[in-house]
Every structure is written in structure tokens, then in C-alpha cells.
């Protein structure tokens, strides 16, 4: 019987054979390349029992409107069985701007929660026990400032920093590569990130000071191989910066975490997680020789692919998300967010986000896929894909090393061009009919059935602006000005900024004021033109 097409490939363009046999694993050794869960090279998982001992953290990404709006959503999700919080910030906050900045007009509260001051952060986490619930904050440019606010909230409540658990994304390299929400040039921003790493190692031991993110690299159009390669190499770049700053690798590497996208290619995504753990362990061992095995373990959060969601026939997104979530679980993630069906149209409604959470809960409670560790381990196909993804990433590693590292590569526009080429290639495949998107390029419906949409009204911005006005009138201007001056002096003297940032937010300095003060010291960044 003839085949449907002359060539079958993964989404990354890897050729796929009709059937896989031991011949595809001739140079593969089970003891060296597979091993057991919880043992080097951690291909099968970083814990011996994985989900038999503890399920992944169900951490739905949430944030919209005001701090009170999002706080209500947090309490709702926790009541529905969510086991960790994840904060989405609005665009002004992501860009280090206050809600009353003229550049923020029309964007306040629309793609996440608006946070400009410590008072906003206190309202955001009102009634939430920070010493019992872990929190992830997806923010990069002003990450250290928002982290200082979180620490200040805990300090005001009398919660020791040693009891705080969670993650701040804080990954500026992928901003230069993909998401484009930077504040400062690479060199000073890398130093700021090292400050957060060092501060957490000394004072906040349960916190992940950085979540090295491939998610946004994939959302920008990369392949799975590129996501894997650029993400892990970014991670090695942060490790290198911290080591050169005088930190012992074992003092901070166990606190590093990663964040991956989970796209539609079911088996390729499973293989990507397995290859990531193995490659990270091998590269960390080869480059830094840590003594603590936990320094070799890749801990990761995963989120289903927002770029795979379609505005057409949005109910189809439930199916896409379910398959992607199952791939993340079979791949061995430690934490998972499942996208809501309406996220291609707006921020999720309460009904949609509940269904997305139930998707994870059904996988955990009903699918029985969590009863054994790495159930696809030893599959000729999965092991072959794992090997090929690792080899593809290593090829990128060699090229990046030859360029002098990731920062030099970013300055040349190399990863940006690679992602641009991959995204254009995928679009051409869709247009030529070589790949299908159900509801968009295939099985198209002429009529659309409307679904409820969450809308953010203008009153959110008006209330935020009024609150900021009241804040500026009520604070001690001399204490605030002195705190900002201390931030600038500390930055100029290359000392750890975290204590000065905590004092600044306690003095009621805003996100925008602190970031503006730092720009005067660090300067601004202008990206290279990529054609």
C-alpha cells in the first residue's frame, strides 16, 4: 500500500521512519544513556519514584485587571485544587513602567495583573499563606524589583525568607532572543541576575531565582531542537556568570529551574524533556564538575503551547491542550500549566481556566499514566528521538561556543535569525498544505460559534492611576529619594542589589521609579537588525 506522503517529519523537521528497531539504537547503551530514574544522567526523571511519590505541581498561569481581581482568581483556583500559584503581569509591569506612565495607557491590566507598588503586591497576595503555597512570577526585565516586593510582603508579615518557595523567571537572555521585553544591556543585566542568584543561595534557599525559559523561544517560532539548545545554553551562560562572580556551583545550581513549551508533536515533546535532563547533566558535569548530584538535575515547569491555539473553533484547543499536557507528564515535568481554550481570544474566563485545570486533574487521577516512571523508556522510537534531539542541541552548542558564547551570538543576531527561519519554514509548510491546522487549514467552518470572553474595562486603569497618585502623596519623599539613591550607588559599585531594592520598595518607590533609576546607571539596550 502506498503511503500518504513521500516524506514524514517531526515538527522540527526530523525525518521519521516507518518503524523503529534496535538498528536505530546501535550506539545507544541503556546503562549510560537511559539509567534509572533519579540517577545520572537523569534521562528517566530526576526523582527515583517521580509521580508515584508526588504529582507535579498544578500551577495555572493567572493574572488580569487589578491586584484584587487576580487575588480573587488565585483563591478560586486554590479552592478548585490548584497546588501552586503563577502570576501573569500586564505589559507595563513587564516593561518596568508604572500604570500611570503615558506609555502604559490602554494596556493596564489587559494581559496580566497591574503591579506598580508594594501596596499592589500586598493586595495581590492578601489572605494567601506565602509560607505554604509556592508562587511563580513570570517577569524578566524588572524581575529583581518584583522579587524584592514579594520578599517585602513576607517580611511585613513576619514570614522568614527561608520558608518561601517559588520561582521568579528572571531570564533576560531569552528576552533578547525572543520575547523582546528587556530594560538594560546584557552585561549589567547579567550582573543583576547573578545578584538574585547569590541572594537566594544565602537567604531564600527554597526559591528558584531564575526559570530559564524555552517557552517564549518556542512561541517565537523555534523548533523543538532550537528550544532545547538555546534554553540549555542560556542556562550554562547563567552558571558561568555566577561561577565567574565567585559563587561555588553547588551553592546555587540546585536552585536553578527551567521552563519548556509543550507543542503538538506528541513524541518529539516527550523526547525533548528526556534529552534536556540528560544533556544538562552531562554538560554540567563536563564544564563545572559539581560535587552535589542535585547540581546536575534539571528541574522544569512546562506550559502547553499558546502558539498552537486557534481563534477558529476554539473548542478544539481543549483537545490540543490535553495531548500536550499528557506529553509533558510522560516527559516528566515537575510543574505544569494548561492553557485555556479561549486564550487565543482573550484572558481566560473562570469557566475556561477551570476546564484547563480539570484536564491536569483527569490525567493525574484517571489516566493511570502516573503509575510507573518513564513508561516510554526503552521505546526504539522515543529513545531514537531523544538521541537525535540531544545531538541537534549539541551541534548548536558547538556553534555557540565558537562564537564566544550566547551574549556574543545575540549581538550578532544568530539565535534570532535561526528562529525567524524556522518560523517562516513552518508557515510555508502550512500554506503549501504539507502540515495541517484543524479548523484553519483543514475542516474549516464558515460560521463561528461565539464563546464568552473576559473583558477588562477602563475602570481598572483609572483606579490604578488614582491609587498611584494617593501613594505618591502619602509616602515620605526623603526616605524614598534616599532609597533610590542607594539603589543607584549600589549598582554603580557592583554590590548585591537585593537589599537596596527591598529597602526601596519598603520606602514605597514604584516599579517605574526603580527601573528608571537603574537605567541611569546601566543604560538602555538596542537590538541588532535581523533580516
Amino acid at each position: 500500500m502506498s503511503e500518504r506522503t513521500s516524506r514524514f517529519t517531526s515538527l522540527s523537521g526530523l525525518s521519521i521512519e516507518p518503524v523503529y528497531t534496535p538498528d536505530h539504537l546501535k550506539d545507544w547503551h541503556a546503562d549510560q544513556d537511559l539509567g534509572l530514574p533519579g540517577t545520572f544522567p537523569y534521562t528517566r526523571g530526576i526523582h527515583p519514584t517521580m509521580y508515584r511519590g508526588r504529582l507535579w505541581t498544578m500551577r495555572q498561569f493567572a493574572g488580569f485587571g487589578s491586584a484584587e481581581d487576580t487575588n480573587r482568581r488565585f483563591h478560586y483556583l486554590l479552592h478548585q485544587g490548584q497546588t501552586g500559584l503563577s502570576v501573569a503581569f500586564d505589559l507595563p509591569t513587564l516593561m518596568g513602567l508604572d500604570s500611570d506612565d503615558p506609555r502604559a495607557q490602554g494596556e493596564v491590566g489587559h494581559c496580566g495583573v497591574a503591579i506598580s507598588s508594594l501596596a499592589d503586591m500586598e493586595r495581590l497576595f492578601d489572605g494567601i499563606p506565602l509560607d505554604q503555597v509556592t508562587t511563580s512570577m513570570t517577569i524578566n526585565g524588572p524581575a529583581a524589583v518584583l522579587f524584592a516586593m514579594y520578599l517585602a510582603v513576607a517580611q511585613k508579615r513576619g514570614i522568614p525568607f527561608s520558608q518561601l518557595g517559588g520561582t521568579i523567571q528572571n531570564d533576560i537572555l531569552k528576552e533578547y532572543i525572543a520575547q523582546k521585553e528587556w530594560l538594560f544591556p546584557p552585561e549589567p543585566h547579567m550582573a543583576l541576575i547573578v545578584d538574585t542568584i547569590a541572594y537566594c543561595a544565602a537567604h531564600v534557599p527554597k526559591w528558584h531565582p531564575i526559570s530559564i525559559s524555552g517557552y517564549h523561544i518556542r512561541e517565537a517560532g523555534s523548533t523543538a531542537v532550537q528550544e532545547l539548545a538555546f534554553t540549555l545554553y542560556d542556562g550554562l551562560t547563567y552558571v558561568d556568570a555566577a561561577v565567574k562572580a565567585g559563587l561555588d556551583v553547588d551553592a546555587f545550581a540546585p536552585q536553578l529551574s527551567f521552563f519548556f513549551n509543550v507543542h503538538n508533536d506528541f513524541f518529539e515533546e516527550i523526547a525533548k524533556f528526556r534529552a534536556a535532563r540528560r544533556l544538562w547533566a552531562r554538560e554540567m558535569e563536563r564544564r563545572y564538575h559539581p560535587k552535589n548530584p542535585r547540581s546536575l538535575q534539571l528541574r522544569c515547569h512546562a506550559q502547553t503551547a499558546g502558539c498552537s491555539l486557534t481563534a477558529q473553533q476554539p473548542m478544539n484547543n481543549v483537545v490540543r491542550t490535553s495531548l500536550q499536557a499528557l506529553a509533558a507528564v510522560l516527559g516528566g515535568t515537575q510543574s505544569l500549566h494548561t492553557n485555556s481554550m479561549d486564550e487565543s481570544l482573550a484572558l481566560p474566563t473562570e469557566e475556561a481556566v477551570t476546564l484547563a485545570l480539570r484536564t491536569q486533574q483527569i490525567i493525574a487521577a484517571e489516566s493511570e499514566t502516573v503509575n510507573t516512571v518513564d513508561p516510554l523508556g526503552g521505546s526504539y522510537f522515543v529513545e531514537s528521538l531523544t538521541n537525535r534531539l540531544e545531538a541537534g542541541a549539541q551541534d548548536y552548542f558547538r556553534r555557540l561556543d565558537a562564537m564566544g558564547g550566547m551574549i556574543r551570538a545575540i549581538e550578532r543576531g544568530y539565535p534570532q535569525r535561526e528562529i525567524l527561519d524556522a518560523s517562516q519554514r513552518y508557515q510555508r509548510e502550512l500554506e503549501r498544505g504539507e502540515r495541517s491546522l484543524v479548523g484553519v487549514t483543514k475542516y474549516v467552518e464558515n460560521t463561528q460559534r461565539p464563546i464568552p470572553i473576559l473583558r477588562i474595562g477602563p475602570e481598572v486603569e483609572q483606579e490604578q492611576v488614582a491609587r498611584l497618585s494617593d501613594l505618591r502623596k502619602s509616602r515620605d519623599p526623603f526616605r524614598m529619594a534616599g532609597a533610590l539613591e542607594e539603589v543607584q550607588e549600589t549598582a554603580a559599585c557592583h554590590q548585591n542589589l537585593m537589599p537596596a531594592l527591598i529597602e526601596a520598595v519598603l520606602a514605597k518607590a514604584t516599579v517605574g521609579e526603580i527601573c528608571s533609576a537603574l537605567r541611569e546607571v546601566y543604560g538602555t539596550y538596542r537590538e541588532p537588525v535581523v533580516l
Side-chain angles (χ1 to χ4, degrees):
M1 180 182 293
S2 61
E3 295 185 333
R4 291 182 290 108
T5 182
S6 59
R7 184 167 179 257
F8 291 82
T9 66
S10 73
L11 274 181
S12 291
L14 302 177
S15 60
I16 304 299
E17 301 296 328
V19 66
Y20 283 76
T21 70
D23 289 340
H24 292 92
L25 296 175
K26 285 182 179 178
D27 298 322
W28 179 83
H29 303 282
D31 55 340
Q32 298 175 17
D33 300 317
L34 187 60
L36 293 173
T39 64
F40 186 88
Y42 306 104
T43 310
R44 310 198 73 178
I46 62 172
H47 302 302
T49 59
M50 288 300 286
Y51 306 139
R52 285 173 66 102
R54 178 184 174 184
L55 293 173
W56 63 93
T57 301
M58 299 181 190
R59 192 186 300 283
Q60 291 299 112
F61 195 38
F64 64 93
S66 68
E68 290 90 345
D69 294 330
T70 300
N71 177 264
R72 283 190 290 270
R73 178 65 63 87
F74 284 168
H75 281 283
Y76 172 79
L77 287 169
L78 291 171
H79 182 71
Q80 295 299 317
Q82 177 172 299
T83 53
L85 299 177
S86 183
V87 188
F89 296 95
D90 70 357
L91 186 59
T93 308
L94 294 171
M95 298 303 297
L97 303 175
D98 291 331
S99 296
D100 60 356
D101 190 296
R103 292 166 289 180
Q105 189 171 4
E107 293 290 344
V108 176
H110 279 268
C111 72
V113 61
I115 300 293
S116 297
S117 68
L118 177 58
D120 290 335
M121 189 69 86
E122 290 181 285
R123 286 189 288 267
L124 180 64
F125 290 103
D126 183 45
I128 292 173
L130 301 186
D131 53 347
Q132 299 175 35
V133 176
T134 61
T135 301
S136 173
M137 292 187 281
T138 302
I139 194 160
N140 297 281
V145 181
L146 273 296
F147 183 40
M149 288 182 175
Y150 191 86
L151 294 177
V153 172
Q155 182 174 309
K156 291 181 71 173
R157 292 189 192 176
I159 300 172
F161 291 172
S162 60
Q163 294 182 18
L164 299 176
T167 306
I168 190 87
Q169 191 163 98
N170 203 20
D171 176 7
I172 205 60
L173 291 176
K174 63 89 178 174
E175 294 296 329
Y176 302 126
I177 294 171
Q179 191 163 252
K180 313 301 183 183
E181 292 168 354
W182 59 73
L183 300 185
F184 318 119
E187 298 293 350
H189 211 127
M190 288 291 290
L192 180 56
I193 290 169
V194 171
D195 283 353
T196 62
I197 291 172
Y199 192 83
C200 285
H203 303 288
V204 203
K206 295 180 182 179
W207 194 272
H208 300 291
I210 187 168
S211 175
I212 304 141
S213 175
Y215 185 85
H216 305 94
I217 290 173
R218 193 65 178 277
E219 291 288 292
S222 80
T223 65
V225 174
Q226 291 168 343
E227 179 194 359
L228 176 63
F230 296 150
T231 305
L232 295 194
Y233 201 91
D234 282 351
L236 294 171
T237 303
Y238 293 122
V239 172
D240 198 58
V243 169
K244 287 179 177 176
L247 294 178
D248 181 87
V249 67
D250 286 323
F252 68 89
Q255 289 177 270
L256 301 179
S257 66
F258 289 81
F259 175 24
F260 290 108
N261 195 293
V262 199
H263 214 292
N264 284 334
D265 192 324
F266 188 72
F267 289 106
E268 185 173 63
E269 294 302 306
I270 295 168
K272 182 182 72 183
F273 285 94
R274 304 171 84 252
R277 285 191 293 270
R278 188 164 74 201
L279 184 55
W280 180 253
R282 287 173 168 172
E283 288 295 318
M284 286 291 287
E285 175 65 39
R286 182 176 71 84
R287 296 177 185 235
Y288 301 104
H289 316 295
K291 297 180 178 62
N292 184 351
R294 294 188 68 242
S295 297
L296 305 174
Q297 296 173 354
L298 183 146
R299 290 157 290 277
C300 70
H301 172 70
Q303 180 176 341
T304 56
C307 60
S308 73
L309 304 180
T310 64
Q312 300 90 334
Q313 302 179 30
M315 290 293 290
N316 293 345
N317 295 330
V318 177
V319 183
R320 293 186 180 101
T321 295
S322 299
L323 290 170
Q324 293 163 6
L326 182 58
V329 170
L330 293 174
T333 188
Q334 277 65 65
S335 174
L336 180 60
H337 163 85
T338 33
N339 289 326
S340 300
M341 65 178 180
D342 53 358
E343 286 191 57
S344 59
L345 301 167
L347 295 170
T349 63
E350 197 169 273
E351 181 181 11
V353 76
T354 303
L355 180 59
L357 176 60
R358 294 286 183 261
T359 301
Q360 293 195 51
Q361 292 167 335
I362 289 170
I363 292 172
E366 299 183 26
S367 72
E368 310 302 342
T369 54
V370 297
N371 293 347
T372 190
V373 182
D374 188 30
L376 295 176
S379 157
Y380 300 135
F381 179 41
V382 171
E383 298 300 349
S384 176
L385 269 180
T386 303
N387 290 346
R388 293 171 72 188
L389 285 163
E390 182 180 16
Q394 286 174 323
D395 184 53
Y396 272 114
F397 279 18
R398 286 187 286 271
R399 283 183 259 175
L400 291 164
D401 281 341
M403 292 178 196
M406 182 57 85
I407 292 177
R408 301 287 85 82
I410 289 170
E411 291 172 347
R412 293 172 56 175
Y414 173 70
Q416 299 96 307
R417 274 193 300 274
E418 287 290 294
I419 294 169
L420 177 63
D421 290 345
S423 64
Q424 290 177 334
R425 187 164 54 248
Y426 177 71
Q427 184 62 34
R428 287 194 295 269
E429 290 172 351
L430 283 175
E431 292 170 357
R432 291 195 296 256
E434 296 169 5
R435 296 200 187 276
S436 299
L437 203 53
V438 173
V440 179
T441 66
K442 201 170 186 179
Y443 311 115
V444 177
E445 295 177 356
N446 293 325
T447 59
Q448 295 293 324
R449 286 164 284 186
I451 62 171
I453 297 295
L454 176 63
R455 302 190 187 279
I456 307 300
E459 66 277 2
V460 170
E461 183 170 335
Q462 294 164 2
E463 291 171 4
Q464 274 294 104
V465 170
R467 279 176 170 165
L468 274 171
S469 177
D470 292 340
L471 175 83
R472 291 192 171 99
K473 293 174 184 175
S474 66
R475 68 191 178 186
D476 180 342
F478 297 104
R479 181 187 175 191
M480 192 277 296
L484 286 182
E485 185 176 341
E486 181 65 23
V487 165
Q488 290 183 315
E489 291 177 357
T490 303
C493 294
H494 307 291
Q495 297 174 341
N496 194 299
L497 258 178
M498 286 307 303
L501 291 176
I502 294 171
E503 176 55 35
V505 300
L506 286 168
K508 300 184 180 180
T510 65
V511 171
E513 289 165 342
I514 296 171
C515 291
S516 180
L518 286 173
R519 281 192 190 94
E520 292 181 16
V521 180
Y522 291 153
T524 56
Y525 174 71
R526 192 169 290 187
E527 71 173 329
V529 176
V530 178
L531 299 176

